[in-house]
Amino acid sequence: MASTACTNTTTVMIQVNICLFGYFCWYLNYGLDGWFLANTLQKVFQVVSILITSYFKVDKRTRNGFTWEDLTEGYWQYFKETVEYTVGALCEEVVFQLSTLLVNLTQDASQIAAQTAIINTISYIYETSPGFTLVARLRFGILLGRKKVQAAKRLFHSVFIGMFCTALLVGLLLVTFTDELSSVYSSNNEEVDSYVRPLIVEVCIFIGPIFTLTYLNTICRCIGWFTVLAYANVSFMIVLQMVFGLVILYGLHGDVTYLSVNTFALMSILAVFVYTRISC
């Protein structure tokens, strides 16, 4: 019943999204303002619809069965873990924003265009992995709850290998269609093209860690290693990326290709760190 309600709610939200963005962006021709307005209304509808659905689907015996003491008991421990979880999760999103910020410091339109293009490509790859991650996380959590630690480890390794192989196939597709991708993103501008092509190659080289990092972080959180993950993400994805990036930019006078290698290499090191820690 709950899964059916969730599916129905998601289906309705998709239809509402199409109507809102179509109405404000195309029918009223509000452009960027229309996008922000439609996005705000979509978020409001999403929150309200989920609250209503959750209220009517929750067991009536527990709907109002709590007190203020229940809510405040262990609150600060919960707050601490929430902050640690949020910091780690935000670092996953901020990593590419910081990379783009560093490229923007070059003040080179061609490099900025190439960076924007490659981030757009990576977003499709990076945002695909949560589908695999969601299924694996549920099964991993069930196995841990039943104290089947070895089975959980086997599942972890199996999913990781499957995702890594999938990433390699995606990388092969990127290599195969490099000319087409570069043509689309560079609009046949030779200078932009000279940056886009090596960036695509870099993505293909580091595509394994890029594709699996979200999964590794999620499993790490399932085990309860919020603090370790938060410190690791902040250290690698923010501090070291900025320090090394600034050295590459101003000390070595590197371009967007070197800055991207810096980002992808740090993601790879973080992925290896998390993987080995879970494996132990």
Side-chain angles (χ1 to χ4, degrees):
M1 291 292 290
S3 60
T4 302
C6 182
T7 302
N8 292 338
T9 303
T10 303
T11 302
V12 172
M13 283 193 290
I14 292 174
Q15 296 172 352
V16 171
N17 290 350
I18 294 173
C19 293
L20 285 173
F21 285 97
Y23 180 73
F24 288 103
C25 296
W26 283 280
Y27 182 75
L28 296 181
N29 197 27
Y30 281 2
L32 187 60
D33 291 337
W35 185 91
F36 280 107
L37 182 57
N39 187 61
T40 301
L41 292 175
Q42 180 263 335
K43 296 298 182 184
V44 172
F45 176 81
Q46 185 178 17
V47 171
V48 172
S49 61
I50 291 176
L51 286 175
I52 293 175
T53 303
S54 300
Y55 180 80
F56 285 104
K57 288 299 178 180
V58 74
D59 193 317
K60 293 181 179 180
R61 293 171 296 178
T62 60
R63 185 176 294 170
N64 298 310
F66 59 87
T67 63
W68 179 253
E69 288 74 18
D70 294 329
L71 293 176
T72 56
E73 183 179 357
Y75 174 77
W76 289 112
Q77 178 63 27
Y78 169 78
F79 179 77
K80 175 177 174 291
E81 293 178 355
T82 301
V83 170
E84 292 172 346
Y85 179 95
T86 303
V87 169
L90 284 177
C91 287
E92 296 179 35
E93 301 297 330
V94 171
V95 55
F96 295 120
Q97 311 305 323
L98 290 180
S99 175
T100 302
L101 173 63
L102 289 168
V103 175
N104 287 342
L105 293 177
T106 65
Q107 298 183 350
D108 186 322
S110 297
Q111 294 189 53
I112 295 172
Q115 170 73 4
T116 304
I118 212 65
I119 291 300
N120 186 52
T121 302
I122 291 174
S123 65
Y124 290 110
I125 301 170
Y126 197 73
E127 295 299 329
T128 302
S129 62
F132 297 89
T133 300
L134 177 61
V135 176
R137 182 190 67 186
L138 291 173
R139 296 185 178 183
F140 187 84
I142 291 172
L143 290 173
L144 283 184
R146 294 177 177 176
K147 309 298 182 182
K148 297 181 178 180
V149 178
Q150 293 304 317
K153 281 190 174 183
R154 287 195 295 270
L155 173 68
F156 164 71
H157 291 297
S158 298
V159 175
F160 178 81
I161 292 171
M163 290 184 67
F164 201 92
C165 291
T166 302
L168 294 179
L169 291 175
V170 175
L172 182 61
L173 287 174
L174 288 176
V175 171
T176 304
F177 295 101
T178 296
D179 292 339
E180 288 77 7
L181 281 172
S182 182
S183 176
V184 169
Y185 284 126
S186 66
S187 298
N188 297 318
N189 183 299
E190 293 184 2
E191 188 173 358
V192 176
D193 182 75
S194 67
Y195 290 118
V196 171
R197 288 178 180 275
L199 286 176
I200 293 176
V201 174
E202 290 175 8
V203 171
C204 295
I205 293 173
F206 293 101
I207 195 166
I210 292 173
F211 192 73
T212 58
L213 186 57
T214 299
Y215 167 67
L216 293 173
N217 285 339
T218 300
I219 296 300
C220 195
R221 294 187 188 101
C222 283
I223 302 174
W225 293 338
F226 301 119
T227 305
V228 172
L229 193 60
Y231 278 114
N233 271 285
V234 170
S235 300
F236 285 100
M237 297 294 91
I238 296 182
V239 177
L240 290 180
Q241 182 182 195
M242 286 299 295
V243 171
F244 292 159
L246 291 173
V247 170
I248 291 171
L249 192 61
Y250 295 111
L252 304 177
H253 304 290
D255 57 22
V256 61
T257 57
Y258 293 95
L259 291 171
S260 293
V261 168
N262 174 52
T263 301
F264 297 149
L266 288 172
M267 290 181 69
S268 301
I269 295 172
L270 178 60
V272 171
F273 169 77
V274 176
Y275 180 82
T276 53
R277 187 171 180 83
I278 296 174
S279 298
C280 294

